[in-house]
Amino acid sequence: MTRGRLHRALVAALVLFGTGTGTAAGTAPAWASAPAPARTPAASAPHVEAASLSPGLLQAMRRDLGLSAPQARARLAAERTATAQEPKAREAAGAAYGGSWFDARTGRLTVAVTRDASASAVRAVRSTGAVVRTVAHSARQLDAAKRRLDRLPAPSGVSGWHVDPAAGAVVVDVVRDRRSDNDVERFLTRARAAGPVTVHQVAAAARTYAAGTVGGDPYYTGNVRCSIGFSVYGGFVTAGHCGQPGAGVSGWDGSYIGTFQGSSFPDNDYAWVSVGSGWWTVPVVLGWGTVPDQLVRGSAEAPVGASVCRSGSTTHWHCGTVLARDETVNYSQGAVHQLTRTSVCAEPGDSGGSFISGDQAQGVTSGGWGNCSSGGETWFQPVNEILGRYGLTLHTA
């Protein structure tokens, strides 16, 4: 390969996104990175030094989150602390645990505990540095209610549902102009019988972000263009809707990269592609000139409320916040479970691309609604679930 082609191959192996056709408003599956050896990875601790906060990253957080440079630095430091506190607080709460989220206003982790929590459990949670809020339902009860909804057939006017610990309920997203449809009303009646439910109206239904072949830094399978999410040893992970097992993959220059070794969509939206033929993997997410290319140092899960950024071949680098975890999204192709919802925008071609918080890999782009001109939301498939499912190891710096 020439030096230019080597550099492009490195970029392509790191941050390509998948895209697909669909309406202007909708959710799209999309993430990709390289495969790893057969062992289950452990999420490493967050590690973001102040020196690694590039001017480009701070500019992106100013543009997308309205934060000044000092505010962005302070928020990232607070989020690192909250990420480290969350597993300790969850363990301290025990059966009384009701969920947790990062509160950007206070810069602290909030942990919900049920009213019957013992005084010692509350003290133990507070000793981690978290703020305690009392709620009626435990996380286990809310998760059970959501699983009951997962067994219900959902009409197209229902976009999805997720547990919201701050609301103490399962939030069902309904497309605004379909709210009064008979099939939507029937679904909501059955949903309310399954447990504590609240209804939230959204502008449009979710759709995937795959698309026909266009320019950029993509990978291709058939007539579909997608983006790489994260490198793993032996290949990369990406969105399941981008290709089926056995499908060949070519890079930005048309040369052969490898083959889809595993893929699941719907129900899940993840896949992994083996890499060979002169292509290799590196622990980097492309910054597209907006920010320097970002090193990946681990995959510690950021809490709800934390900031998160996305890299994709269509809309490049954008930031937002984590809005919800473990959401079921009702795509036209079928429901996909255990997705994470964000306020980050995306467009066709961004499927499979990287969601990263600081230097911690979060997941691969699945779908969304809206665009990066008027705004929207996206969902990603958590990367740790993909690694565990296929026995892959994240390639880290």
Side-chain angles (χ1 to χ4, degrees):
M1 290 186 179
T2 65
R3 181 176 180 182
R5 182 177 174 186
L6 286 174
H7 174 72
R8 298 279 294 199
L10 175 66
V11 166
L14 293 171
V15 210
L16 298 178
F17 269 71
T19 66
T21 57
T23 59
T27 304
W31 276 88
S33 87
R39 59 190 174 93
T40 301
S44 61
H47 175 80
V48 182
E49 300 298 339
S52 71
L53 302 183
S54 67
L57 175 60
L58 298 177
Q59 289 168 9
M61 294 185 74
R62 179 184 304 116
R63 178 195 65 197
D64 297 332
L65 295 173
L67 301 176
S68 66
Q71 288 171 330
R73 292 190 182 93
R75 175 155 178 170
L76 289 171
E79 290 173 356
R80 290 196 298 275
T81 299
T83 299
Q85 289 172 338
E86 198 274 341
K88 300 173 184 175
R90 177 191 292 263
E91 182 179 2
Y97 179 73
S100 63
W101 59 94
F102 177 77
D103 188 336
R105 294 171 301 176
T106 63
R108 298 177 66 185
L109 181 73
T110 298
V111 175
V113 299
T114 55
R115 298 188 182 107
D116 59 356
S118 67
S120 60
V122 173
R123 286 195 298 271
V125 173
R126 286 187 173 133
S127 72
T128 68
V131 175
V132 173
R133 178 185 291 184
T134 302
V135 294
H137 304 288
S138 69
R140 184 176 302 173
Q141 290 171 325
L142 294 176
D143 288 342
K146 179 184 176 294
R147 299 295 171 248
R148 288 191 284 273
L149 265 67
D150 286 344
R151 293 193 288 270
L152 300 178
S156 59
V158 174
S159 179
W161 50 93
H162 67 278
V163 169
D164 183 348
V170 178
V171 176
V172 177
D173 290 324
V174 174
V175 179
R176 186 173 295 115
D177 59 7
R178 305 285 299 279
R179 176 63 179 83
S180 59
D181 288 3
N182 291 336
D183 55 356
V184 171
E185 290 289 356
R186 283 193 295 270
F187 178 87
L188 293 176
T189 297
R190 298 182 67 185
R192 292 187 178 101
V197 162
T198 186
V199 176
H200 175 245
Q201 296 189 36
V202 296
R207 66 180 175 96
T208 57
Y209 282 133
T213 55
V214 295
D217 282 308
Y219 75 83
Y220 299 93
T221 177
N223 65 346
V224 173
R225 171 171 65 91
C226 282
S227 303
I228 293 170
F230 295 98
S231 289
V232 297
Y233 289 98
F236 63 83
V237 294
T238 189
H241 70 272
C242 290
Q244 296 297 313
V249 173
S250 59
W252 64 272
D253 60 353
S255 66
Y256 177 75
I257 294 178
T259 304
F260 275 85
Q261 298 297 318
S263 178
S264 178
F265 179 79
D267 187 25
N268 305 292
D269 193 8
Y270 50 59
W272 78 274
V273 175
S274 60
V275 165
S277 303
W279 293 74
W280 67 93
T281 67
V282 287
V284 174
V285 170
L286 188 65
W288 295 100
T290 301
V291 301
D293 295 351
Q294 302 290 298
L295 288 175
V296 177
R297 299 186 184 275
S299 56
E301 188 177 71
V304 171
S307 63
V308 68
C309 296
R310 181 192 56 73
S311 180
S313 62
T314 297
T315 57
H316 299 172
W317 186 270
H318 286 273
C319 301
T321 57
V322 177
L323 300 178
R325 292 179 185 165
D326 191 19
E327 179 156 358
T328 298
V329 177
N330 189 34
Y331 293 124
S332 61
Q333 301 94 328
V336 175
H337 305 93
Q338 295 179 301
L339 297 181
T340 297
R341 182 182 197 160
T342 81
S343 64
V344 187
C345 67
E347 295 179 11
D350 288 329
S351 278
S354 320
F355 270 88
I356 188 167
S357 183
D359 55 13
Q360 300 296 301
Q362 299 299 307
V364 300
T365 303
S366 173
W369 64 268
N371 56 53
C372 289
S373 297
S374 59
E377 294 178 335
T378 50
W379 284 261
F380 67 76
Q381 184 89 59
V383 69
N384 287 332
E385 180 184 357
I386 309 171
L387 301 177
R389 168 62 180 84
Y390 294 118
L392 304 173
T393 299
L394 187 67
H395 192 168
T396 58

